[in-house]
């Protein structure tokens, strides 16, 4: 019996292994962006290679099905695709390679290097769509995260695992604030997703940040504005997947996506191309579901894991922070928001964080009572001074009529110095806390 089994094993070893099945389809319709192919087994998110009439094959992603046909969105609009062209599934398109090798690197939405270095050789992988966790098993947000920015550490303390939005119009210092946090944070890993930004700004950001010791803990995923909407979405998901991997390794991760609005714009392009009805400001319903599904992937991990502290920039058209559906949806799901004020930039206060309009929903749970009282007092003094600034400039206020206003006027030069911080000047959490208490200690 044993001899027979050995003989069968030797025979089986000589039989060539069957190659993995090749899944293909044929192009039926193509309008320059959306492609219809004969039905073939592939789930949404699967990457495919589409033969072209001239040049290399184009890549596309499966986005859905209709009437027995497979719908795909091309990465390269206006590619030279002809009717009947072969569509071939690319294995592994729904995962991303992850590992310590991605730190210190600048990658694109597909994981290819943009920094002229060899592609990172990673041994692990992670689903682009993330891994769903039981919300009741997640660890709570209990400790502050030092982000290196004085006004945030002191007056709007960030917790490990908190999700925050930076709400602002254009040109008020979002990128500079992100750079400061990336360079000075105490987080062990920093993942930055530059989604839909100008190519010049991507290059400038990478040039300033990706050098020296600080760059060794940073992974940057960059997808400029001229890339297809699917690549922009894939870039945001890839950045989040990298952050999830390091969280599972027990690391404290700072994830920054700039910007959530341009991620929503990418989904809007795809939704409208698929025939979804536009709603407020032209956003289809899929945008409203995309934002929470992306944000909820961040946050604390399970016991024994780390946490992803996530910061998403949200563009407010015309500085309107109240009537934009992306702003409203993000603000409803996030654990706080920082509003950047154009008025403060005009006053020369950088970073231009409007303390009175901003809120950290976890701050009261992670700071001591003295710190909490000092932060509340600072907001009161800033609000009083801003509300009465024009009245004082016109000479309509006489000292002694309002004790709080008198205090705000007396302390304003020190408050202004406290709010302002040079981008090359770090301020750790304990120093920021003490500076705040020293500032308002006698103003209670």
């Amino acid at each position: 019996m044993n001899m027979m089994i050995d003989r069968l094993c030797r025979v089986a070893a000589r039989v060539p292994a069957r190659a993995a099945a090749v899944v293909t389809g044929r192009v039926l319709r193509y309008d320059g962006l959306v492609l219809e192919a004969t039905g073939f087994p592939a789930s949404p998110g699967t990457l495919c290679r589409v033969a072209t009439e001239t040049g290399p094959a184009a890549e596309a992603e499966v986005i859905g099905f209709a009437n027995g046909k497979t719908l795909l969105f091309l990465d390269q609009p206006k590619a030279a695709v002809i009717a009947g062209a072969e569509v071939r599934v690319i294995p592994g398109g729904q995962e991303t390679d992850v590992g310590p090798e991605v730190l210190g690197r600048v990658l694109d939405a597909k994981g290819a290097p943009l920094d002229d270095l060899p592609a990172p050789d990673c041994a692990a992988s992670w689903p682009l769509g993330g891994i769903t966790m039981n919300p009741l098993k997640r660890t709570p947000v209990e400790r502050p995260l030092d982000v290196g920015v004085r006004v945030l550490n002191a007056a709007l303390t960030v917790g490990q695992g908190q999700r925050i939005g930076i709400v602002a119009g254009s040109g008020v210092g979002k990128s500079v604030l992100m750079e400061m946090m990336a360079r000075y944070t105490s987080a062990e890993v920093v993942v930055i997703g530059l989604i839909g930004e100008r190519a010049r700004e991507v290059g400038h950001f990478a040039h300033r940040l990706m050098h020296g010791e600080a760059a060794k803990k940073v992974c940057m995923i960059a997808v400029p504005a001229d890339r297809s909407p699917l690549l922009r979405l894939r870039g945001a998901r890839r950045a989040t997947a990298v952050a999830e991997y390091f969280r599972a390794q027990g690391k404290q991760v700072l994830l920054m996506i700039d910007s959530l609005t341009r991620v929503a714009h990418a989904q809007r392009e795809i939704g409208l191309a698929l025939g979804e009805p536009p709603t407020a400001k032209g956003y289809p319903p899929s945008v409203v579901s995309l934002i929470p599904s992306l944000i909820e992937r961040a946050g604390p991990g399970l016991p024994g894991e780390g946490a992803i502290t996530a910061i998403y920039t949200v563009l407010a058209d015309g500085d309107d922070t109240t009537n934009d559906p992306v702003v409203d949806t993000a603000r409803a799901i996030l654990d706080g928001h920082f509003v950047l004020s154009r008025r403060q930039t005009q006053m020369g206060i950088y970073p231009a964080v409007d303390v009175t309009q901003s809120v950290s929903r976890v701050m009261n749970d992670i700071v001591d009572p003295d710190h909490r009282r000092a932060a509340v007092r600072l907001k009161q003094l800033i609000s009083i001074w801003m509300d009465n600034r024009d009245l004082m400039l016109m000479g309509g206020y006489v000292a002694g009529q309002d004790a709080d206003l008198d205090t705000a006027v007396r302390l304003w030069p020190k408050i202004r110095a406290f709010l302002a911080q040079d981008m090359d000047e770090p301020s750790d959490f304990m120093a920021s806390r003490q500076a705040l208490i020293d500032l308002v200690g006698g103003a209670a």
Side-chain angles (χ1 to χ4, degrees), residues 140-429:
V141 179
E142 296 178 320
R143 291 181 294 276
L145 177 72
D146 183 0
V147 295
V149 180
R150 183 166 48 244
V151 65
L152 301 183
N153 279 338
L156 299 162
T157 306
V158 177
Q160 295 179 3
Q162 187 176 1
R163 291 86 47 87
I164 310 155
I166 298 179
V167 182
S170 58
V172 292
K174 296 185 300 297
S175 297
V176 174
L177 181 59
M178 288 178 57
E179 181 184 337
M180 292 175 67
M181 289 189 284
R183 290 169 62 185
Y184 304 136
T185 181
S186 62
E188 300 166 278
V189 174
V190 178
V191 182
I192 302 173
L194 299 180
I195 312 299
E197 291 290 337
R198 299 181 296 275
R200 179 198 63 78
E201 188 166 342
V202 170
H204 178 74
F205 197 97
H207 176 73
R208 287 191 55 86
L209 186 62
M210 302 303 290
H211 62 84
E213 288 297 317
K216 294 181 180 180
K217 66 176 184 179
V218 177
C219 173
M220 184 181 296
I221 309 295
V223 189
D226 61 344
R227 301 302 192 264
S228 78
L230 267 179
L231 285 180
R232 281 175 263 155
L233 283 179
R234 182 170 283 265
R237 293 188 175 114
R238 183 176 294 275
T240 307
V242 171
E244 287 175 314
Y245 165 79
F246 283 107
R247 176 180 63 189
Q249 305 304 306
K251 304 291 187 181
Q252 290 298 325
V253 184
L254 177 62
L255 169 67
M256 293 189 284
I257 301 291
D258 184 19
S259 71
L260 187 65
T261 301
R262 293 194 175 106
V263 174
H265 288 175
Q267 182 61 44
R268 177 170 62 183
E269 291 181 48
I270 296 169
L272 294 178
L274 289 174
E276 286 189 61
T279 56
K281 290 201 172 182
Y283 289 106
S286 59
V287 173
V288 179
S289 62
L290 167 71
I291 293 175
S293 67
L294 187 65
I295 292 175
E296 281 298 321
R297 292 173 60 183
L302 302 175
E305 297 184 344
I308 300 174
T309 305
I311 297 177
Y312 304 90
T313 64
V314 184
L315 300 176
D317 294 335
D319 295 334
D320 182 4
T321 62
T322 58
N323 295 314
D324 188 286
V326 176
V327 176
D328 291 341
T329 303
R331 191 150 42 188
I333 196 79
L334 291 169
D335 304 318
H337 57 273
F338 304 149
V339 176
L340 300 190
S341 165
R342 193 171 302 277
R343 185 178 184 183
Q344 288 189 206
T345 65
Q346 295 167 348
M347 296 168 62
I349 300 176
Y350 292 95
V353 179
D354 188 335
V355 175
T356 62
Q357 297 296 320
S358 305
V359 63
S360 172
R361 296 180 182 174
V362 305
M363 179 175 178
N364 289 344
D365 299 326
I366 60 176
V367 299
D368 58 80
D370 290 341
H371 188 171
R372 183 164 56 248
R373 285 191 293 267
V376 171
R377 184 57 172 162
L378 177 67
K379 291 183 180 182
Q380 292 173 344
L381 294 175
I382 294 174
S383 180
I384 291 169
W385 194 89
M386 288 292 189
D387 290 344
N388 292 277
R389 179 174 179 268
D390 293 339
L391 177 65
M392 290 185 295
L393 291 176
M394 292 186 297
Y397 176 74
V398 178
Q401 294 180 339
D402 188 316
D404 285 338
L405 181 53
D406 290 343
T407 301
V409 172
R410 175 172 56 84
L411 290 180
W412 178 249
K414 293 182 179 180
I415 293 175
R416 177 169 176 157
F418 175 84
L419 297 177
Q421 182 178 342
D422 188 88
M423 65 179 302
D424 296 320
E425 171 201 350
S427 179
D428 64 43
F429 178 78

Side-chain angles (χ1 to χ4, degrees), residues 25-30 35-38 50-51 81-87:
R26 294 286 174 178
V27 173
L28 298 175
R29 189 181 73 85
Y30 171 55
L35 182 148
E36 288 185 8
T38 54
V50 183
V81 177
I82 61 175
E86 183 185 66
V87 182

Side-chain angles (χ1 to χ4, degrees), residues 85-106:
E86 183 185 66
V87 182
R88 183 184 294 260
V89 170
I90 302 174
Q94 294 183 322
E95 293 190 339
T96 178
D97 293 336
V98 289
E101 297 80 8
V102 303
L103 298 180
R105 304 300 306 274
V106 183

Side-chain angles (χ1 to χ4, degrees), residues 30-35 45-50 52 56-63 71-81 90 93 108-112 128 223-235 237-238 269-270:
Y30 171 55
D31 63 5
L33 195 61
V34 178
L35 182 148
T46 301
L47 292 182
C48 300
R49 189 169 284 115
V50 183
T52 60
E59 288 194 5
E61 182 175 325
V62 176
I63 56 176
L71 305 180
L72 303 98
F73 212 95
L74 280 181
D75 287 352
Q76 302 97 351
K78 306 298 181 183
V81 177
I90 302 174
D108 67 7
K110 300 176 183 178
L128 276 174
V223 189
D226 61 344
R227 301 302 192 264
S228 78
L230 267 179
L231 285 180
R232 281 175 263 155
L233 283 179
R234 182 170 283 265
R237 293 188 175 114
R238 183 176 294 275
E269 291 181 48
I270 296 169

